[in-house]
Amino acid sequence: ALEPPAAAAAAPSPMGGDAAAALGASFGVSLAVVSMIKQPANFETWLRYHRDSLGVTRFYLRVEDTPSLEALLSSPRWAGLVEAEFHSRGERDYFEQMDRQSGHIASVIPRARAAGLTHLLHIDDDELVYCAAGLPPLFRLLSAAGVERPNVHMQNVEALLPAPDCDNPFAAVRSFRHFPTQYCSYTNGKSFGVLAAAGLRSHGPHHFRSAATCGGGGAGSLDLPAGVAVVLHYESATYAKWRTKYLELARRHGDAPEVLSRVPFAFYRQSLSSARKLLHAEAEVRLRTPAAAERMRAAEEGAVRLWSKWKVEPEGLPPPPPPGEPPLVLPQGITRLSPGGVTASPGRAAPDG
C-alpha cells in the first residue's frame, strides 16, 4: 500500500535551477527528464518546476501533435535545456502509447550518457516530483543506488481539483488521494534510471531494468520513501483536457467490447462510455434529428458529473499547510500539501489541448 507523503522536516523553498543542479552535483547526481507529451496544459509551469525545484539539467521530449510548443521550447530560457523532437500522430491510441514511450526512452539513454548525466527520470506532462523534505535526501539516495539498483522507484499520489473551473491545476491543487484503491489511474509509481548501469532500458512506463536485473521483480530496485520523493499525478485535471482525451480515444476505439475489457481502470472505462455518448449526441446534432439538442445537453451534463465525481475534492477539508510545511495526512485517504515552487507562468499560456 502507498504510504502518504509525510516528512520529518519541512521542505525548503525552491532554490532555483542552477543552485538545485549544483546541489545535485555535490552528491554526484545530474538529472535528466525523458517524456512523451501531447497538447499539455500549463507546460511552462511543468518545465519551470522541475528545473527550479528538482535541478533537472536536460529535458528530452517527444512532442506529438503540438507544433505550438516550438516557440516556447526554442526560447532563450529553454533552448539550452530542452531537446525536443516533433511528431504528427493524429489519432490517440490507448494501446500503442507505451510502445512509443519505450522507443523514445531507448533513443534517449545513450544521448543522456554522452551528455554526462547520471540519472534519467521518466514522467509524463501531467506529473510533478515532490520532495517533502527537500532535495538532499533524494540526492543522497540517488547517489547511493549504484548500478546494482538501476531502478530508483517512487510511489504516486493523485490530484483532486479544488473546483471544476481550475485553470492551472499545478498551481491550484492542494489535495491528493493516497490510497491506491481509490485512484482513477495507475498505482505503481514512476522511476529514475541509473545511467551508469549496463544495458539500462525501460521496463514499461513505470520502471527501469538493466542487463544484470532483467529478471524483474524487486531485484535491482531502490524504493524511495514517500517522505523523500513522490509523484504528484494530475491525470485529466481539467474537464476540457479530459473531454479532449476521451473523445479522441472513443473515436479511435469505437464501441468494441474487447477494448473495454482490456482497459484496467474503472475511471477509464466509464470515461470512454461517457465519451461515446457525447459522440453519438454530436452526430445527432449534425443530422438535426428530433430532440438532438436535448440529448447533447444530457450527454454533456452526464460527462461533467462523471468527471467531477472522480476529480473534484470533497467539501469541508481542513486548510492545506503553507508551502514549506509538512503535508497534512487525513484519515479518509487524502493528503493536503502545498508543493513549493509551483506558480503559474504570467503572460504565457500553454496549449490546453
Side-chain angles (χ1 to χ4, degrees):
L2 178 67
E3 293 295 327
S13 298
M15 56 180 61
D18 291 341
L23 178 63
S26 73
F27 287 88
V29 172
S30 182
L31 289 179
V33 162
V34 59
S35 188
M36 187 175 79
I37 65 177
K38 178 174 180 174
Q39 299 171 351
N42 312 115
F43 192 59
E44 190 170 12
T45 301
W46 184 91
L47 286 169
R48 288 168 57 243
Y49 176 85
H50 287 109
R51 172 59 178 163
D52 294 343
S53 296
L54 205 62
V56 171
T57 60
R58 187 63 59 94
F59 297 87
Y60 296 95
L61 306 179
R62 177 185 168 98
V63 184
E64 295 189 349
D65 299 325
T66 322
S68 57
L69 276 183
E70 188 169 0
L72 170 65
L73 299 182
S74 62
S75 66
R77 174 74 170 90
W78 299 112
L81 296 171
V82 174
E83 290 188 23
E85 304 168 3
F86 288 82
H87 299 265
S88 179
R89 287 286 309 173
E91 287 184 327
R92 188 187 297 264
D93 188 289
Y94 180 82
F95 302 105
E96 294 177 358
Q97 176 175 315
M98 286 190 291
D99 292 336
R100 299 199 305 280
Q101 284 178 329
S102 178
H104 179 51
I105 295 169
S107 73
V108 164
I109 287 172
R111 285 187 276 157
R113 284 178 176 145
L117 303 166
T118 63
H119 294 80
L120 184 64
L121 167 64
H122 176 225
I123 52 172
D124 295 330
D125 58 44
D126 60 355
E127 297 168 336
L128 303 179
V129 173
Y130 170 66
C131 300
L135 289 176
L138 171 64
F139 289 152
R140 190 174 295 114
L141 288 175
L142 287 174
S143 179
V147 297
E148 68 277 5
R149 290 182 291 182
N151 183 67
V152 183
H153 188 66
M154 298 173 287
Q155 302 165 62
N156 63 289
V157 294
E158 197 169 80
L160 291 168
L161 276 292
D165 58 352
C166 176
D167 289 330
N168 187 336
F170 294 141
V173 167
R174 297 293 181 267
S175 296
F176 296 85
R177 291 188 181 99
H178 63 244
F179 288 160
T181 54
Q182 298 175 357
Y183 288 7
C184 300
S185 185
Y186 74 85
T187 63
N188 37 1
K190 289 292 177 73
S191 297
F192 299 87
V194 177
L195 286 164
L200 186 72
R201 59 179 177 80
S202 63
H203 185 70
H206 306 285
H207 298 277
F208 288 89
R209 293 285 182 263
S210 69
T213 64
C214 59
S221 290
L222 172 63
D223 293 324
L224 296 177
V228 171
V230 69
V231 176
L232 308 180
H233 187 197
Y234 299 77
E235 199 273 345
S236 295
T238 67
Y239 176 72
K241 185 78 172 172
W242 172 88
R243 193 181 192 279
T244 297
K245 174 180 176 177
Y246 285 97
L247 283 178
E248 287 184 7
L249 288 170
R251 289 188 188 100
R252 172 67 179 84
H253 296 295
D255 295 315
E258 63 271 17
V259 171
L260 283 179
S261 68
R262 294 171 60 192
V263 175
F265 309 115
F267 172 69
Y268 281 26
R269 294 192 297 270
Q270 293 175 23
S271 296
L272 281 168
S273 295
S274 182
R276 289 186 185 113
K277 291 177 182 177
L278 286 169
L279 290 178
H280 293 324
E282 288 177 354
E284 291 194 28
V285 169
R286 288 193 297 271
L287 295 171
R288 300 181 180 181
T289 61
E294 175 61 24
R295 289 194 179 94
M296 187 71 240
R297 183 191 62 78
E300 198 73 61
E301 290 178 353
V304 171
R305 283 195 302 271
L306 173 69
W307 178 86
S308 298
K309 180 185 78 170
W310 284 92
K311 291 298 177 180
V312 177
E313 69 183 25
E315 297 180 354
L317 295 177
E325 293 298 318
L328 174 63
V329 180
L330 303 176
Q332 62 265 50
I334 294 174
T335 292
R336 299 277 274 165
L337 60 86
S338 300
V342 182
T343 56
S345 302
R348 191 168 220 152
D352 282 324

